[in-house]
Amino acid sequence: MMFGSINSSGAIIDVTRHGEASDILLPNQIDRVQKVAVDIGGSLAKVVYLTSGPRSQGGRLHFAAFETDNVEKCVSFIRTLLDSPSDTSENEPVIMATGGGAHRFRDLLNKELGVEIRVEDEMESLTAGLNFLIREVADEVFTYSEDTMQFVDAAADMFPYMLVNIGSGVSILKVTGDDEFERISGTSLGGGTLWGLLNLLTGVRSFDAMLEMTKTGDNAKVDMMVGDIYGTNYGRIGLKASNIASSMGGVYRKTLDKHFDDSDVARSILYMVSNNIGQIAYLNAQLHGIRHIYFGGYFIRGHPLTMHTLSYAINFWSKGEMRALFLRHEGFLGATGAFFIGERAKPATPDVALGVAPDVSQTLNEDKAPDVRRTRGRTYSFTENFSIAGAIADDAIGSLGMLDREPSKLEPLAQLVNTAKCPYTPDTVDLTHEPRQQEYWISAMQRNTNGLLDLADSGALPGCSDPSSRQRLSRFVSLYLTHLHKLQHRPLSYGAMSVRALLGLREQCLHEVGLEDIFAGVKKHETDEALNALPALLHEIDAMNECDRPRVLLQNVLAGNMFDWGAAQLRGALAEGSLDLDKARDQITWRPEFDNGADFVARIQQHTYSQAVVFVDNSGADVCLGVLPFVRFLLQQNTRVVLAANSRPALNDVTDRELVDIVRRARVIDPAFRTDMLSVCGTGSSGPCLDLRKLDARLVQTSQNADLVVIVGMGRAIHSNYYARFSCDSLKLAVFKNQMAADAASAHIYDALCKYERAVV
């Protein structure tokens, strides 16, 4: 029995009225719900559920929340998810449940849902959920202090850590490894304390309304401050006059003559609860010798004042030696953990994998790709999709996207160097800290997005010529521009802002409205023309002096990379068909600051590489007339070659499946390509840039012996990976086709990047 048919893509949390049926927006009834997990706490019930449908290859994880007082609304929502008019699977549905309410409301869940309720341990679920989020979700962990949000890559050095889970009460867990944890402390002074006291003192019942009150309050009108006692700072022991000496201690001192309102009381109690939790957390971390302190639970709600208070407490008591760490999915740790504990409990059964096979050289020899099978379990990864995003609360500083399950596990490239001494950051420029570049790139994306409508109207995008596709394109433009407008005002909404993130979000929005590959017709036409020109080009190359050949091949790779529909400066010429390889080559300038190709030529004339992995870029002339002749040269040198291409479409980038077809056709043209030394793999990526920490595990396995890494294209070698270092030799080939990108590197427009680097020792 399959879970119900309901399209929950884009389901978001209504942060002001938990428990209402309309809180969860379900715009389309297409996707099928596969699995549900629920964490019912003393105050809130959190739901995590997986759907399958046309917008996500391997499934999509969603998040929703309800007040526990309205648990019937939560149950009604789950029942809607389970409702299925045409169940054909033999598997009975199971609800994974955790939290105290999983026991308290188990009879209600059984009665109303009529399915098996599998209760998972609350603490185990919390730690499993946190481990998953740290490892799988980019920019999940951050620090916050004085209105500054800083994302932290915590996956490399996870254990040990301490989780301070703040719900109605507080549980403090020490986690030393996967499935290795103990509850070391806790306190009854938690979110329920704040909620209860403020309800008694102000009459307000909504937790969100209470947090809203704290924004305008002044706790100094309620609390007794150090300055109220000493009249100034107490510098000898490090206390400022503005420090709190006694929470709410100022209201009974007539001599202080303090006048206050509900918002002042709200701020005072928020400080009282948060400061005490922070101090208790520090004391436990100090006692157990732990440096990493995570704060989770729906109490925080991404609320800046709460996070600032907890951060201040940890920093104050530890004298700056410890940091408070926060999570964008803070309230969903338990439900997420219960979901994946259930995954571990599944029996290992065959499951057909999507995408290109691990041994993709077979696909170059057969009419059909082999039936590749994998086992269920954690043989996949998740990437966050912000095309439709929600927030944990109205004033939360971050947003929550959907988590798309990738068909395979994503792993770092084996040759990538990512150490404390030489850390890897995929993005060349962090736009978050570059306001001028931030403004430029958002404006550029807005212009380019509107330009797609013009291209469609001119007939340059054959795939968008029919009314239905044109309508979807208009929906995409509206959706993406809305996101860009949001990022103008809240740059950190979707994690660290970078060119890679902006380009990736664009592709997510295109796929979300059903435009999988708007450049498909363009790519086919340009590829056909390029393959027709390939025989003459190969003949010309073979006629060259052997000493000149490698340099010319590098020049051709760069000339081919000019055929990039993502470059606004070249889009007009590409649409007119007025750019050819010779003209492209003439436009490129070679400056010694960015070109040490002579070193690579000298190396390759004296050394044969065992295996090269080549990350390709665009279809058409780029891959056919630039990359393939270069790859042919490597093959003739007796070097095994793995061609790595996008697993899903992005602009006019070639995909792995398209590349398989191109190589098959190239084999007909030239016998050098008819070898099992050449294979094609998908990167697991669907954007113009590349994060080398997250590649399809099958590509990582296939290229594990590579002693040469080649990265082609502005998105992959300039916007990202410009500073990437490797444990083997590497070659980055691209053209600065954007003025801002050129300015950031002190380059000129159309300068060639031919960057050869020896292995990091």
Side-chain angles (χ1 to χ4, degrees):
M1 178 177 178
M2 175 71 76
F3 276 9
S5 57
I6 181 170
N7 181 354
S8 50
S9 65
I12 62 173
I13 306 166
D14 183 326
V15 297
T16 58
R17 295 184 297 119
H18 288 293
E20 298 293 332
S22 59
D23 287 351
I24 311 302
L25 306 181
L26 301 167
N28 305 296
Q29 298 295 321
I30 300 174
D31 291 358
R32 295 182 64 81
V33 176
Q34 294 184 319
K35 184 179 176 183
V36 180
V38 59
D39 174 14
I40 308 177
S43 304
L44 294 166
K46 288 77 67 177
V47 180
V48 172
Y49 56 102
L50 181 74
T51 63
S52 62
R55 292 173 179 81
S56 54
Q57 297 182 63
R60 176 171 284 177
L61 210 59
H62 308 260
F63 306 89
F66 301 82
E67 287 185 4
T68 302
D69 283 348
N70 294 319
V71 70
E72 294 82 5
K73 298 290 186 181
C74 176
V75 174
S76 176
F77 173 67
I78 296 175
R79 187 191 307 115
T80 304
L81 297 179
L82 295 176
D83 183 28
S84 176
S86 56
D87 294 320
T88 57
S89 171
E90 296 180 358
N91 296 324
E92 290 295 326
V94 177
I95 301 291
M96 314 304 299
T98 190
H103 302 275
R104 177 184 171 192
F105 296 108
R106 187 169 189 169
D107 290 343
L108 174 66
L109 293 171
N110 278 318
K111 176 183 175 183
E112 294 295 326
L113 301 178
V115 298
E116 179 186 351
I117 308 298
R118 185 177 299 162
V119 177
E120 301 293 345
D121 178 76
E122 182 177 3
M123 302 305 156
E124 183 181 3
S125 296
L126 287 171
T127 58
L130 178 52
N131 291 342
F132 165 81
L133 291 168
I134 292 174
R135 288 185 172 124
E136 293 287 344
V137 182
D139 295 334
E140 172 67 26
V141 180
F142 62 94
T143 61
Y144 187 84
S145 179
E146 298 180 351
D147 298 324
T148 301
M149 183 182 190
Q150 185 71 45
F151 293 101
V152 176
D153 183 5
D157 184 26
M158 277 180 61
F159 305 111
Y161 67 77
M162 194 172 78
L163 170 60
V164 183
N165 193 62
I166 314 173
S168 300
V170 179
S171 286
I172 300 179
L173 306 178
K174 175 184 176 182
V175 184
T176 54
D178 288 309
D179 302 320
E180 297 175 10
F181 63 90
E182 62 175 316
R183 187 180 189 275
I184 56 175
S185 187
T187 173
S188 60
L189 192 72
T193 308
L194 176 72
W195 203 333
L197 287 175
L198 284 181
N199 177 245
L200 286 172
L201 295 174
T202 69
V204 175
R205 295 192 60 83
S206 165
F207 193 75
D208 290 299
M210 292 174 184
L211 292 181
E212 186 67 24
M213 289 169 58
T214 65
K215 292 181 182 179
T216 57
D218 181 1
N219 68 295
K221 296 179 179 179
V222 178
D223 297 337
M224 182 185 295
M225 315 302 288
V226 169
D228 293 331
I229 301 173
Y230 293 97
T232 184
N233 300 332
Y234 191 168
R236 186 172 182 179
I237 60 174
L239 293 177
K240 298 178 182 178
S242 57
N243 288 145
I244 300 170
S246 175
S247 294
M248 302 195 75
V251 298
Y252 69 90
R253 291 279 303 276
K254 292 182 180 180
T255 56
L256 295 179
D257 192 28
K258 297 202 175 192
H259 302 279
F260 53 88
D261 59 22
D262 287 351
S263 64
D264 303 323
V265 173
R267 197 176 184 103
S268 170
I269 294 179
L270 176 66
Y271 279 155
M272 178 184 72
V273 173
S274 300
N275 277 323
N276 275 275
I277 293 173
Q279 184 175 15
I280 293 170
Y282 158 74
L283 291 172
N284 277 279
Q286 182 74 4
L287 180 64
H288 291 271
I290 296 175
R291 320 292 313 165
H292 306 309
I293 308 173
Y294 290 93
F295 288 90
Y298 219 79
F299 165 75
I300 301 172
R301 309 282 280 277
H303 187 235
L305 187 58
T306 305
M307 293 188 295
H308 172 73
T309 307
L310 291 168
S311 293
Y312 181 86
I314 295 298
N315 183 70
F316 178 84
W317 292 110
S318 71
K319 295 181 172 56
E321 294 184 3
M322 299 179 187
R323 295 184 301 173
L325 300 173
F326 301 100
L327 306 147
R328 287 190 295 110
H329 293 82
E330 62 193 33
F332 294 96
L333 303 185
T336 303
F339 184 97
F340 287 106
I341 290 173
E343 284 289 291
R344 293 205 303 261
K346 283 185 179 180
T349 55
D351 184 23
V352 178
L354 302 176
V356 179
D359 184 8
V360 197
S361 59
Q362 297 178 59
T363 66
L364 301 175
N365 297 312
E366 302 174 3
D367 292 334
K368 294 183 179 180
D371 181 20
V372 186
R373 295 181 176 269
R374 57 180 170 84
T375 350
R376 278 187 187 165
R378 292 303 305 286
T379 54
Y380 50 79
S381 290
F382 284 83
T383 56
E384 193 161 14
N385 186 327
F386 287 106
S387 58
I388 301 179
I392 246 176
D394 274 338
D395 63 346
I397 58 176
S399 296
L400 303 183
M402 305 164 288
L403 298 184
D404 285 343
R405 186 169 69 177
E406 303 297 334
S408 68
K409 187 71 176 171
L410 300 181
E411 299 177 348
L413 184 71
Q415 295 79 5
L416 178 66
V417 174
N418 187 14
T419 62
K421 184 179 179 181
C422 186
Y424 170 73
T425 301
D427 302 308
T428 304
V429 178
D430 182 354
L431 300 184
T432 305
H433 304 296
E434 296 287 345
R436 187 174 72 90
Q437 290 219 37
Q438 183 184 123
E439 181 181 358
Y440 168 85
W441 280 108
I442 290 180
S443 297
M445 296 297 174
Q446 291 170 332
R447 291 192 302 272
N448 288 350
T449 300
N450 285 315
L452 288 177
L453 293 174
D454 297 332
L455 284 176
D457 291 339
S458 69
L461 296 178
C464 295
S465 57
D466 63 283
S468 176
S469 296
R470 184 62 170 75
Q471 185 180 36
R472 286 196 293 270
L473 186 61
S474 296
R475 286 171 52 204
F476 154 72
V477 170
S478 176
L479 177 62
Y480 188 49
L481 291 181
T482 299
H483 284 295
L484 293 177
H485 178 74
K486 179 178 180 179
L487 289 170
Q488 281 180 314
H489 299 281
R490 304 180 74 170
L492 296 175
S493 292
Y494 306 149
M497 186 190 291
S498 64
V499 177
R500 176 174 60 93
L502 292 174
L503 292 172
L505 177 60
R506 179 181 62 188
E507 298 307 317
Q508 290 178 345
C509 291
L510 280 167
H511 298 160
E512 190 64 27
V513 301
L515 292 173
E516 183 69 14
D517 193 357
I518 61 174
F519 284 93
V522 173
K523 291 192 291 183
K524 183 180 184 308
H525 172 72
E526 292 187 348
T527 295
D528 289 344
E529 286 197 341
L531 285 174
N532 287 336
L534 182 60
L537 179 63
L538 294 179
H539 179 74
E540 179 184 328
I541 291 170
D542 289 343
M544 293 178 182
N545 183 294
E546 286 189 10
C547 295
D548 298 332
R549 195 175 298 161
R551 183 64 181 176
V552 172
L553 289 169
L554 293 179
Q555 292 172 349
N556 284 350
V557 173
L558 274 298
N561 196 240
M562 293 283 281
F563 290 77
D564 181 0
W565 282 79
Q569 288 86 345
L570 296 170
R571 190 176 284 178
L574 291 171
E576 296 168 0
S578 59
L579 187 68
D580 60 34
L581 199 66
D582 291 333
K583 290 181 180 178
R585 191 185 295 110
D586 292 341
Q587 281 188 263
I588 297 173
T589 53
W590 299 79
R591 299 171 60 201
E593 301 97 306
F594 307 102
D595 171 29
N596 66 341
D599 295 341
F600 175 74
V601 171
R603 173 69 172 164
I604 205 166
Q605 287 176 335
Q606 299 181 9
H607 173 77
T608 297
Y609 288 102
S610 173
Q611 184 186 51
V613 54
V614 182
F615 293 91
V616 301
D617 190 7
N618 306 302
S619 61
D622 189 345
V623 70
C624 297
L625 303 181
V627 173
L628 283 185
F630 175 71
V631 166
R632 176 175 175 260
F633 172 78
L634 292 176
L635 293 171
Q636 290 170 336
Q637 295 277 98
N638 207 33
T639 299
R640 302 184 69 87
V641 178
V642 180
L643 291 173
N646 269 10
S647 298
R648 293 186 74 183
L651 291 171
N652 66 317
D653 292 3
V654 67
T655 67
D656 50 2
R657 295 187 182 279
E658 292 165 342
L659 190 52
V660 166
D661 179 67
I662 289 171
V663 174
R664 284 177 177 165
R665 294 168 67 181
R667 285 182 162 183
V668 176
I669 294 171
D670 191 275
F673 297 110
R674 300 171 203 160
T675 171
D676 59 5
M677 295 180 65
L678 175 62
S679 59
V680 176
C681 282
T683 60
S685 175
S686 58
C689 300
L690 196 62
D691 184 345
L692 294 172
R693 298 167 302 185
K694 295 189 174 185
L695 298 176
D696 191 312
R698 296 168 289 191
L699 167 62
V700 174
Q701 176 66 26
T702 303
S703 61
Q704 63 179 334
N705 296 319
D707 50 356
L708 175 64
V709 173
V710 182
I711 306 177
V712 179
M714 184 168 69
R716 292 165 182 79
I718 294 178
H719 293 322
S720 59
N721 300 305
Y722 187 78
Y723 298 112
R725 299 300 305 274
F726 303 91
S727 59
C728 66
D729 291 1
S730 64
L731 181 64
K732 298 167 188 173
L733 301 169
V735 179
F736 289 95
K737 292 165 287 190
N738 174 275
Q739 188 63 58
M740 182 60 76
D743 290 345
S746 299
H748 299 152
I749 193 75
Y750 302 136
D751 273 355
L753 175 70
C754 186
K755 187 177 182 180
Y756 173 62
E757 293 177 308
R758 297 300 302 273
V760 173
V761 179

